[in-house]
Short mmCIF file of all heavy atoms in Angstrom, two decimals:
data_model
loop_
_atom_site.label_atom_id
_atom_site.label_comp_id
_atom_site.label_asym_id
_atom_site.label_seq_id
_atom_site.Cartn_x
_atom_site.Cartn_y
_atom_site.Cartn_z
N GLN R 1 0.84 -1.20 0.00
CA GLN R 1 0.00 0.00 0.00
C GLN R 1 0.87 1.26 0.00
O GLN R 1 0.63 2.19 -0.76
CB GLN R 1 -0.93 0.00 1.21
CG GLN R 1 -1.89 1.15 1.27
CD GLN R 1 -3.06 0.93 0.34
OE1 GLN R 1 -3.28 -0.15 -0.18
NE2 GLN R 1 -3.83 1.97 0.13
N ALA R 2 1.89 1.26 0.84
CA ALA R 2 2.76 2.43 0.96
C ALA R 2 3.55 2.70 -0.32
O ALA R 2 3.88 3.84 -0.62
CB ALA R 2 3.72 2.25 2.14
N GLU R 3 3.83 1.65 -1.07
CA GLU R 3 4.61 1.78 -2.30
C GLU R 3 3.72 1.95 -3.53
O GLU R 3 4.15 1.72 -4.65
CB GLU R 3 5.51 0.55 -2.47
CG GLU R 3 6.54 0.37 -1.39
CD GLU R 3 7.75 1.27 -1.57
OE1 GLU R 3 8.01 1.71 -2.70
OE2 GLU R 3 8.44 1.53 -0.57
N GLY R 4 2.47 2.32 -3.32
CA GLY R 4 1.58 2.55 -4.45
C GLY R 4 0.85 1.31 -4.93
O GLY R 4 0.24 1.32 -5.99
N GLY R 5 0.92 0.24 -4.15
CA GLY R 5 0.18 -0.98 -4.46
C GLY R 5 0.91 -2.01 -5.28
O GLY R 5 0.39 -3.09 -5.54
N HIS R 6 2.17 -1.71 -5.68
CA HIS R 6 2.86 -2.56 -6.65
C HIS R 6 4.36 -2.48 -6.40
O HIS R 6 4.93 -1.39 -6.48
CB HIS R 6 2.50 -2.02 -8.04
CG HIS R 6 2.92 -2.84 -9.19
ND1 HIS R 6 2.30 -4.00 -9.54
CD2 HIS R 6 3.90 -2.63 -10.11
CE1 HIS R 6 2.87 -4.49 -10.63
NE2 HIS R 6 3.84 -3.66 -10.99
N VAL R 7 5.01 -3.59 -6.07
CA VAL R 7 6.47 -3.61 -5.85
C VAL R 7 7.07 -4.87 -6.45
O VAL R 7 6.38 -5.88 -6.63
CB VAL R 7 6.85 -3.54 -4.35
CG1 VAL R 7 6.36 -2.27 -3.70
CG2 VAL R 7 6.38 -4.75 -3.59
N THR R 8 8.36 -4.82 -6.70
CA THR R 8 9.04 -6.02 -7.16
C THR R 8 9.16 -7.00 -6.00
O THR R 8 9.21 -6.58 -4.83
CB THR R 8 10.46 -5.73 -7.70
OG1 THR R 8 11.27 -5.25 -6.62
CG2 THR R 8 10.43 -4.73 -8.84
N THR R 9 9.22 -8.27 -6.32
CA THR R 9 9.37 -9.26 -5.25
C THR R 9 10.72 -9.09 -4.55
O THR R 9 10.81 -9.30 -3.34
CB THR R 9 9.21 -10.69 -5.78
OG1 THR R 9 10.14 -10.91 -6.84
CG2 THR R 9 7.80 -10.95 -6.26
N ALA R 10 11.74 -8.68 -5.29
CA ALA R 10 13.06 -8.47 -4.67
C ALA R 10 12.99 -7.35 -3.63
O ALA R 10 13.54 -7.49 -2.53
CB ALA R 10 14.10 -8.15 -5.75
N HIS R 11 12.31 -6.27 -3.96
CA HIS R 11 12.16 -5.16 -3.01
C HIS R 11 11.35 -5.60 -1.80
O HIS R 11 11.70 -5.28 -0.66
CB HIS R 11 11.50 -3.97 -3.71
CG HIS R 11 11.30 -2.79 -2.83
ND1 HIS R 11 12.33 -2.03 -2.33
CD2 HIS R 11 10.16 -2.23 -2.34
CE1 HIS R 11 11.85 -1.06 -1.59
NE2 HIS R 11 10.53 -1.16 -1.57
N ALA R 12 10.26 -6.32 -2.04
CA ALA R 12 9.43 -6.79 -0.93
C ALA R 12 10.22 -7.71 -0.01
O ALA R 12 10.14 -7.59 1.22
CB ALA R 12 8.19 -7.51 -1.46
N ALA R 13 10.99 -8.62 -0.58
CA ALA R 13 11.79 -9.55 0.23
C ALA R 13 12.79 -8.78 1.08
O ALA R 13 12.93 -9.04 2.29
CB ALA R 13 12.50 -10.57 -0.66
N LYS R 14 13.47 -7.82 0.48
CA LYS R 14 14.46 -7.02 1.21
C LYS R 14 13.80 -6.24 2.35
O LYS R 14 14.29 -6.24 3.47
CB LYS R 14 15.17 -6.07 0.26
CG LYS R 14 16.24 -5.24 0.92
CD LYS R 14 16.95 -4.35 -0.07
CE LYS R 14 18.01 -3.52 0.64
NZ LYS R 14 18.68 -2.61 -0.28
N CYS R 15 12.67 -5.59 2.06
CA CYS R 15 11.97 -4.81 3.09
C CYS R 15 11.44 -5.68 4.22
O CYS R 15 11.38 -5.23 5.37
CB CYS R 15 10.83 -4.02 2.46
SG CYS R 15 11.39 -2.66 1.42
N GLN R 16 11.05 -6.90 3.91
CA GLN R 16 10.51 -7.80 4.92
C GLN R 16 11.62 -8.55 5.67
O GLN R 16 11.35 -9.27 6.61
CB GLN R 16 9.56 -8.82 4.28
CG GLN R 16 8.29 -8.23 3.71
CD GLN R 16 7.34 -7.74 4.77
OE1 GLN R 16 7.34 -6.56 5.12
NE2 GLN R 16 6.52 -8.62 5.29
N GLY R 17 12.86 -8.42 5.19
CA GLY R 17 13.97 -9.14 5.81
C GLY R 17 13.93 -10.62 5.52
O GLY R 17 14.29 -11.44 6.37
N LEU R 18 13.47 -10.98 4.31
CA LEU R 18 13.30 -12.37 3.93
C LEU R 18 14.10 -12.71 2.68
O LEU R 18 14.37 -11.82 1.86
CB LEU R 18 11.82 -12.67 3.64
CG LEU R 18 10.83 -12.46 4.77
CD1 LEU R 18 9.40 -12.60 4.25
CD2 LEU R 18 11.10 -13.46 5.88
N THR R 19 14.40 -13.97 2.52
CA THR R 19 14.94 -14.44 1.25
C THR R 19 13.78 -14.54 0.27
O THR R 19 12.61 -14.61 0.70
CB THR R 19 15.59 -15.83 1.39
OG1 THR R 19 14.56 -16.78 1.74
CG2 THR R 19 16.69 -15.84 2.45
N PRO R 20 14.04 -14.54 -1.03
CA PRO R 20 12.94 -14.71 -1.99
C PRO R 20 12.13 -15.99 -1.74
O PRO R 20 10.90 -15.97 -1.89
CB PRO R 20 13.66 -14.76 -3.34
CG PRO R 20 14.89 -13.92 -3.12
CD PRO R 20 15.31 -14.24 -1.70
N THR R 21 12.77 -17.06 -1.34
CA THR R 21 12.06 -18.31 -1.06
C THR R 21 11.11 -18.15 0.11
O THR R 21 9.96 -18.59 0.06
CB THR R 21 13.06 -19.45 -0.78
OG1 THR R 21 13.89 -19.62 -1.93
CG2 THR R 21 12.34 -20.75 -0.46
N HIS R 22 11.57 -17.51 1.18
CA HIS R 22 10.71 -17.30 2.34
C HIS R 22 9.57 -16.33 2.03
O HIS R 22 8.46 -16.50 2.53
CB HIS R 22 11.53 -16.82 3.54
CG HIS R 22 12.32 -17.91 4.18
ND1 HIS R 22 13.66 -18.01 4.03
CD2 HIS R 22 11.93 -18.95 4.94
CE1 HIS R 22 14.09 -19.08 4.68
NE2 HIS R 22 13.06 -19.68 5.24
N LEU R 23 9.84 -15.33 1.20
CA LEU R 23 8.78 -14.43 0.79
C LEU R 23 7.71 -15.20 0.02
O LEU R 23 6.51 -15.02 0.26
CB LEU R 23 9.31 -13.28 -0.06
CG LEU R 23 8.24 -12.32 -0.58
CD1 LEU R 23 7.64 -11.52 0.57
CD2 LEU R 23 8.79 -11.40 -1.64
N LEU R 24 8.13 -16.07 -0.88
CA LEU R 24 7.17 -16.86 -1.65
C LEU R 24 6.31 -17.72 -0.73
O LEU R 24 5.10 -17.83 -0.94
CB LEU R 24 7.89 -17.73 -2.68
CG LEU R 24 7.01 -18.58 -3.57
CD1 LEU R 24 6.09 -17.71 -4.42
CD2 LEU R 24 7.86 -19.48 -4.46
N GLN R 25 6.91 -18.29 0.32
CA GLN R 25 6.13 -19.09 1.27
C GLN R 25 5.08 -18.24 1.98
O GLN R 25 4.02 -18.72 2.31
CB GLN R 25 7.06 -19.74 2.31
CG GLN R 25 7.92 -20.84 1.73
CD GLN R 25 8.95 -21.35 2.71
OE1 GLN R 25 9.28 -20.69 3.71
NE2 GLN R 25 9.48 -22.53 2.43
N GLN R 26 5.37 -16.98 2.19
CA GLN R 26 4.40 -16.07 2.80
C GLN R 26 3.35 -15.65 1.78
O GLN R 26 2.16 -15.57 2.09
CB GLN R 26 5.10 -14.83 3.35
CG GLN R 26 4.14 -13.82 3.95
CD GLN R 26 4.83 -12.54 4.41
OE1 GLN R 26 6.05 -12.37 4.29
NE2 GLN R 26 4.05 -11.63 4.96
N VAL R 27 3.76 -15.39 0.55
CA VAL R 27 2.89 -14.84 -0.48
C VAL R 27 1.86 -15.86 -0.98
O VAL R 27 0.70 -15.49 -1.24
CB VAL R 27 3.73 -14.28 -1.64
CG1 VAL R 27 2.90 -14.06 -2.89
CG2 VAL R 27 4.42 -13.00 -1.21
N LEU R 28 2.23 -17.11 -1.14
CA LEU R 28 1.32 -18.10 -1.74
C LEU R 28 -0.03 -18.18 -1.03
O LEU R 28 -1.07 -18.11 -1.68
CB LEU R 28 1.99 -19.47 -1.84
CG LEU R 28 3.08 -19.57 -2.90
CD1 LEU R 28 3.77 -20.94 -2.82
CD2 LEU R 28 2.55 -19.32 -4.29
N PRO R 29 -0.07 -18.33 0.30
CA PRO R 29 -1.39 -18.36 0.96
C PRO R 29 -2.15 -17.04 0.83
O PRO R 29 -3.37 -17.03 0.68
CB PRO R 29 -1.07 -18.64 2.43
CG PRO R 29 0.32 -19.14 2.46
CD PRO R 29 1.01 -18.61 1.25
N MET R 30 -1.43 -15.93 0.84
CA MET R 30 -2.08 -14.63 0.70
C MET R 30 -2.67 -14.47 -0.70
O MET R 30 -3.74 -13.90 -0.87
CB MET R 30 -1.08 -13.50 0.98
CG MET R 30 -0.58 -13.48 2.41
SD MET R 30 0.69 -12.22 2.69
CE MET R 30 -0.34 -10.75 2.66
N GLU R 31 -1.99 -15.02 -1.68
CA GLU R 31 -2.50 -14.99 -3.06
C GLU R 31 -3.76 -15.85 -3.17
O GLU R 31 -4.75 -15.44 -3.78
CB GLU R 31 -1.42 -15.48 -4.01
CG GLU R 31 -1.82 -15.40 -5.46
CD GLU R 31 -0.72 -15.88 -6.39
OE1 GLU R 31 0.01 -16.83 -6.04
OE2 GLU R 31 -0.61 -15.31 -7.48
N LYS R 32 -3.74 -17.02 -2.53
CA LYS R 32 -4.92 -17.90 -2.56
C LYS R 32 -6.12 -17.25 -1.89
O LYS R 32 -7.26 -17.48 -2.28
CB LYS R 32 -4.60 -19.24 -1.91
CG LYS R 32 -3.72 -20.11 -2.76
CD LYS R 32 -3.44 -21.44 -2.09
CE LYS R 32 -2.51 -22.27 -2.96
NZ LYS R 32 -2.19 -23.56 -2.35
N LEU R 33 -5.87 -16.44 -0.87
CA LEU R 33 -6.95 -15.72 -0.19
C LEU R 33 -7.41 -14.49 -0.96
O LEU R 33 -8.37 -13.83 -0.58
CB LEU R 33 -6.50 -15.29 1.22
CG LEU R 33 -6.29 -16.40 2.23
CD1 LEU R 33 -5.63 -15.85 3.48
CD2 LEU R 33 -7.61 -17.08 2.54
N GLY R 34 -6.71 -14.16 -2.04
CA GLY R 34 -7.09 -13.01 -2.85
C GLY R 34 -6.63 -11.67 -2.30
O GLY R 34 -7.17 -10.63 -2.67
N LEU R 35 -5.63 -11.69 -1.41
CA LEU R 35 -5.15 -10.45 -0.81
C LEU R 35 -4.15 -9.72 -1.69
O LEU R 35 -4.00 -8.51 -1.60
CB LEU R 35 -4.52 -10.73 0.56
CG LEU R 35 -5.44 -11.41 1.58
CD1 LEU R 35 -4.67 -11.74 2.84
CD2 LEU R 35 -6.64 -10.53 1.87
N LEU R 36 -3.46 -10.47 -2.55
CA LEU R 36 -2.48 -9.89 -3.45
C LEU R 36 -2.36 -10.76 -4.69
O LEU R 36 -2.88 -11.87 -4.73
CB LEU R 36 -1.12 -9.68 -2.77
CG LEU R 36 -0.45 -10.87 -2.07
CD1 LEU R 36 0.21 -11.81 -3.05
CD2 LEU R 36 0.57 -10.36 -1.08
N ARG R 37 -1.68 -10.22 -5.69
CA ARG R 37 -1.45 -10.96 -6.93
C ARG R 37 0.03 -10.93 -7.26
O ARG R 37 0.72 -9.93 -7.00
CB ARG R 37 -2.22 -10.32 -8.10
CG ARG R 37 -3.70 -10.45 -8.01
CD ARG R 37 -4.42 -9.86 -9.22
NE ARG R 37 -4.09 -8.47 -9.49
CZ ARG R 37 -4.63 -7.43 -8.87
NH1 ARG R 37 -5.53 -7.63 -7.93
NH2 ARG R 37 -4.30 -6.20 -9.19
#
């Protein structure tokens, strides 16, 4: 939301303090719930 609704996965991983793999593990359930794409 703060970044205008759209960020690269690399930026999101860095901001969250996660590796890309760990970010994907977080994102997949959120995508299934329709919270993000």
Side-chain angles (χ1 to χ4, degrees):
Q1 183 79 12
E3 297 281 338
H6 188 75
V7 299
T8 65
T9 56
H11 179 68
K14 182 178 179 182
C15 289
Q16 293 290 95
L18 299 172
T19 65
T21 300
H22 284 105
L23 178 69
L24 182 62
Q25 290 173 341
Q26 178 184 1
V27 164
L28 288 175
M30 295 176 74
E31 184 179 35
K32 287 181 182 179
L33 291 171
L35 302 175
L36 54 78
R37 291 183 304 279

